[in-house]
Each structure stands twice: as structure tokens, then as C-alpha cells.
Amino acid sequence: MRAAFPFSAIVGQDEMKLALLLAAVDPRIGGVMVFGDRGTGKSTAVRALAALLPPMPAALAGYHPDGAPPLAAKATVAVPFVDLPLGATEDRVVGALDLERALGAGVKAFEPGLLARANGGFLYIDEVNLLEDHIVDLLLDVAASGENVVEREGLSVRHPARFVLVGSGNPEEGELRPQLLDRFGLSVEVRTPQDLASRVEILRRCDAFERTPEAFAETWRSAEKKTLKRIARGRAGLAEVVVPDPMLARASTLCMAVGADGLRGELTLIRAARALAALDAAGAVTADHIARIAPLALRHRLRRGVLDETGSTVRIERALDELAAA
């Protein structure tokens, strides 16, 4: 099988890579929305992270009818990566009646959909802003609950569907409804590199990977091991990270200052800050953790001010400066 492009070899796009690492440490953050130019490595980064993660128990991945365990108790499989096409029907996404078995054997059986295949891994949607709204609603509901329920054609099936939802889109081709955008945990903005050195380095690495993928992957093996160790350390230490009351107050004060609607922003901010602290091997969340993660957790939850033409990120950074000066 062809080697995957190493996650550590992706040039720049630090914000996107950080968001994906945080989602890998704590899937409860609620997925990642990546807005930006085409051809900036969005899907490459998600595939690379899925390929980097160690094999997982087969019992926790995919779909097992009636909860049946795999043949081998200790069997493992690669972390699933499912690419959801724009034209996917609801039946293909959630699953439906297996017509072949129904017509041939007269048996009502469930044919798993893409949500079942993604269980335990990543579900990636390119151009999510072009996907039909009812499909996006469905995906976000399942991602939040971790369970898919199918009721149709006399079937009643309930199965685990725990995955990291990653959506990407180009704002020029249409925006997501604010209600849907708010349901994504983190929002990332990616842009085409504007400096010559970065563009040349991207070309150099892509060319080397296309010519000799195995040799290129071997070159980055040490860096990949370090990233994997960092993720494992973050997962192991996540439950032990303390969020002091002053940091809870700081998160709420920040959300009030920027006018974030509801409490989802504050909850995501705290979860992401805890995951970041775990990645940094810190025992407690600090003001620095909150400041580093605030733009990712809040920029897509702000109302557009009629008299304030500044972007969401600038408003968040301005509020952080005011908090630091207080």
C-alpha cells in the first residue's frame, strides 16, 4: 500500500495542524471546520493524521451487527478515514435496508452507511458549505451524540458512530448557516502561502513524495514518532489536567466581551484549552492556553457588528489584549 504523506512534513498551516491534533486528543471538542483556498493541503492533513495514529481495536471501529465482536479478540485495524462525497444520499450516509438480501432471501438486514464506516476515525467533507442542509444537520447531530439511529422500511437499528468530523470549504462558494457553523468545535482559516521560501519547500516535498513515497516517509519517520508520542501523552494526561476557577472566569469573560452567543463557545474553549495543556504536558490550564486557542474556538461564533468592520479574529485578539491589561 502506498505510504501516506507524513503529517509532520506539511509546510506551514500551523493553526490547522494544531486543531487536528486537539481533536485527536479529545474528540469531544466537536470537530474542525477548515475555511480557505483550494489546494492548501486540507484533506492531505486529515489523511496524514489518520494514517499517523496507531491501529485501534477492531471492536471499536466500523460497524458490528448486533454488537458482535470481531473474530480475533485482539484484532486491530487502521484508524478509519471516510471521505463523504457531495452527492451522497441520506441512505448512503446513515445506512438502509439491504435490498439484495431482502429480495433474495426475504431477510430484513441493515446495510451500513458512511457513518458506520467512519466509527472510531475521521469523517471528512470537502466543500461542506455545498452539502444539503438536512445532511449537514444529520451529520452534526450524530457527531454530537456518538450514535446513529436508523428507522425505516421496518428496520430499527442503533449503532455507535463516534468520529472526528472535519469539514472544509471555500467562503467564496457559499457560507454555512450560522446555526450549523456554531456546531463545529473549532474553526480554522488557511491561506495559500505568500512567501517564496514556503512555496518552494512545498514543491520540493511534494515532488520528493511523488517520486519515492516510501523513502520520503522514512525521512520523516523520526518526526512522526515525536508527534505520535505527543498525541499519546496528551490522551493519557487529559483527564488529569486541572482548570482553575480563575481560568473558567477568564474564558467566560472573554466570551462575554466578544459577544459569543450561548454557552457552546465557552465549553469548547475550555475543552480545547485542556487538550492543549495536555499536549504541552502541563498539569493545569493557563491564560496562555486560553489565548492560543481562543481564535479557533470562537471566531465562527461571533455576530457581525453593523458598525464594526474588523474581522472575528481581530476582535478576539483585541479582547484578549484588554483582558491581559486588566
Side-chain angles (χ1 to χ4, degrees):
M1 187 174 65
R2 180 184 170 91
F5 193 90
F7 184 79
S8 306
I10 295 172
V11 178
Q13 309 299 12
D14 294 335
E15 191 177 80
M16 175 173 65
K17 290 190 288 187
L18 176 60
L20 293 175
L21 288 174
L22 294 175
V25 169
D26 186 5
R28 297 180 309 149
I29 288 173
V32 181
M33 181 66 212
V34 186
F35 274 122
D37 304 329
R38 302 184 198 88
T40 48
K42 299 186 288 290
S43 63
T44 298
V46 183
R47 288 179 187 275
L49 181 60
L52 169 65
L53 296 175
M56 61 185 298
L60 301 180
Y63 170 74
H64 306 291
D66 303 320
L71 296 178
K74 296 183 179 180
T76 60
V77 296
V79 173
F81 175 88
V82 175
D83 200 337
L84 190 148
L86 282 180
T89 63
E90 185 172 336
D91 281 353
R92 186 178 177 191
V93 174
V94 303
L97 178 68
D98 188 334
L99 291 176
E100 185 176 343
R101 292 183 63 184
L103 295 174
V107 177
K108 286 186 178 180
F110 178 62
E111 183 177 358
L114 296 176
L115 296 181
R117 285 176 49 200
N119 184 42
F122 293 81
L123 181 64
Y124 178 74
I125 314 166
D126 195 14
E127 307 295 354
V128 65
N129 45 334
L130 301 182
L131 198 64
E132 293 185 30
D133 284 345
H134 77 281
I135 297 289
V136 180
D137 274 322
L138 185 155
L139 290 170
L140 291 167
D141 285 341
V142 173
S145 67
E147 189 174 63
N148 181 36
V149 180
V150 182
E151 300 275 358
R152 60 185 62 190
E153 287 99 16
L155 277 176
S156 179
V157 178
R158 185 184 299 264
H159 69 80
R162 300 181 182 90
F163 50 81
V164 176
L165 181 63
V166 182
S168 71
N170 187 337
E172 295 177 0
E173 296 176 349
E175 297 184 353
L176 275 178
R177 285 184 287 137
Q179 302 95 313
L180 296 180
L181 192 55
D182 178 62
R183 298 277 295 280
F184 281 91
L186 304 176
S187 175
V188 175
E189 296 175 353
V190 295
R191 294 290 179 265
T192 303
Q194 296 302 310
D195 62 294
L196 180 61
S198 293
R199 296 173 81 117
V200 170
E201 185 60 26
I202 291 171
L203 291 176
R204 182 181 291 116
R205 294 184 188 183
C206 288
D207 179 60
F209 177 72
E210 288 173 2
R211 286 186 291 108
T212 55
E214 287 75 19
F216 183 78
E218 183 62 34
T219 302
W220 288 89
R221 193 171 302 280
S222 176
E224 291 285 81
K225 286 182 178 179
K226 289 181 181 178
T227 302
L228 186 56
K229 187 177 294 184
R230 190 182 179 206
I231 295 172
R233 182 183 64 200
R235 288 175 169 178
L238 181 65
E240 306 301 323
V241 175
V242 176
V243 185
D245 285 348
M247 293 303 102
L248 294 175
R250 192 178 191 86
S252 291
T253 301
L254 176 61
C255 290
M256 292 169 64
V258 298
D261 290 331
L263 294 174
R264 188 175 284 124
E266 285 161 72
L267 292 171
T268 302
L269 180 57
I270 290 301
R271 285 173 182 157
R274 179 185 280 117
L276 180 57
L279 272 179
D280 290 347
V285 170
T286 65
D288 178 64
H289 292 131
I290 290 177
R292 286 162 60 192
I293 210 66
L296 284 75
L298 300 178
R299 63 161 59 102
H300 55 306
R301 308 180 195 278
L302 308 190
R303 294 181 181 177
R304 292 181 178 176
V306 177
L307 301 178
D308 190 352
E309 293 299 323
T310 55
S312 297
T313 303
V314 174
R315 289 164 58 190
I316 294 168
E317 290 173 347
R318 187 168 59 198
L320 286 168
D321 290 340
E322 292 172 356
L323 264 179

